[in-house]
Amino acid sequence: MFCVSMAKRSHSIVVSASYRLAPEHRFPAAFEDGFSALKWLHSQSIHQSEGNHELTEPWLISADFSRCFIAGESAGGTLAYHVARMAFNTPYSVASWMPMCMEGLVLIHPGFMRGTRTQEELDSYQDVFMNWNTADACIQLTLPQGCSIDNSYFNPLPIVSSPDCPFTLPKTLILLADKDALHFYVLQCVEALKDACCQVDVVMEHGVGHVFFIAQPDSEQAQHMTQSIDHFINKDHKVLL
């Protein structure tokens, strides 16, 4: 429902990719599948640019591949971050994806976590969508056997902060909620991304928790969040109706 709503509001085509699930398929399987989906989309952009409509999916024939965005929410936000990181860093670059142009990255309540938690995080609001017991169970099910949570799969900070590892991302919008226990650490990651010269904007919704828009799609905060995403996607491309 959220993808449909977002597609209508932003006048976009949303490609929702499936990926292998844990525990049968632990990380990095999901990231590899997300990256494969991106490469498939790239192949579609090539077919379209060459006028090869027989190989182009009918619903993508009129797509504007010069304005693509990678996006995801919660665990999907973590996946989207890793797909973008793979796409924009060695051995790939912006030029690798022509004629497709990835203009930006949208992370909605990304599941960035670390092994230690502050008291502020532990005391933060928790509900069925986000609580530390569920988070810990998911971590154990998704990480490879013997792998620590401080691995870059969940914790981007070590790689982003490393002076020996050149790092880049497309312009990025990160959507957060102040009653989401994950937002404290995500804000630390945002500062590290900015220090690495990544262009990052943050929009914080107040009085709501992790992926609140699933249960409250008509709330004022949900409307503001989708408006923020729409503006991020279309601010340089006004749509005339």
Side-chain angles (χ1 to χ4, degrees), residues 51-235:
N52 195 341
H53 292 170
E54 290 184 0
L55 294 178
T56 306
E57 289 288 332
W59 51 282
L60 289 175
I61 287 177
S62 61
D64 183 359
F65 285 100
S66 69
R67 296 179 55 224
C68 293
F69 292 79
I70 301 172
E73 54 92 1
S74 193
T78 307
L79 193 157
Y81 161 79
H82 280 283
V83 169
R85 183 178 65 83
M86 294 163 70
F88 276 75
N89 294 275
T90 307
Y92 293 92
S93 67
V94 174
S96 305
W97 302 98
M98 298 298 290
M100 184 170 75
C101 178
M102 287 177 281
E103 286 202 348
L105 172 64
V106 179
L107 304 179
I108 307 169
H109 305 180
F112 296 161
M113 288 178 273
R114 59 188 163 186
T116 58
R117 290 168 188 148
T118 65
Q119 195 61 46
E120 190 175 32
E121 290 171 322
L122 293 173
D123 292 341
S124 183
Y125 173 80
Q126 299 179 50
D127 57 20
V128 295
F129 292 109
M130 171 56 209
N131 59 78
W132 291 120
N133 288 334
T134 300
D136 288 337
C138 291
I139 289 166
Q140 293 303 315
L141 290 172
T142 54
L143 284 176
Q145 296 288 350
C147 188
S148 162
I149 185 177
D150 282 317
N151 184 287
S152 62
Y153 294 143
F154 277 109
N155 186 359
L157 205 54
I159 290 180
V160 174
S161 303
S162 173
D164 301 321
C165 184
F167 186 89
T168 188
L169 285 176
K171 65 178 182 180
T172 301
L173 174 66
I174 299 182
L175 290 305
L176 300 176
D178 69 349
K179 293 181 71 175
D180 179 0
L182 298 178
H183 90 270
F184 299 104
Y185 188 56
V186 175
L187 287 175
Q188 291 187 41
C189 295
V190 167
E191 292 308 309
L193 287 168
K194 290 180 177 180
D195 288 342
C197 298
C198 297
Q199 180 183 340
V200 184
D201 293 328
V202 175
V203 173
M204 180 77 74
E205 300 302 337
H206 297 280
V208 286
H210 191 69
V211 296
F212 69 91
F213 49 88
I214 294 176
Q216 306 171 56
D218 298 322
S219 65
E220 180 181 343
Q221 294 93 330
Q223 295 303 310
H224 181 257
M225 188 187 79
T226 55
Q227 181 183 25
S228 299
I229 298 172
D230 177 29
H231 177 73
F232 179 73
I233 292 173
N234 290 311
K235 60 184 177 182

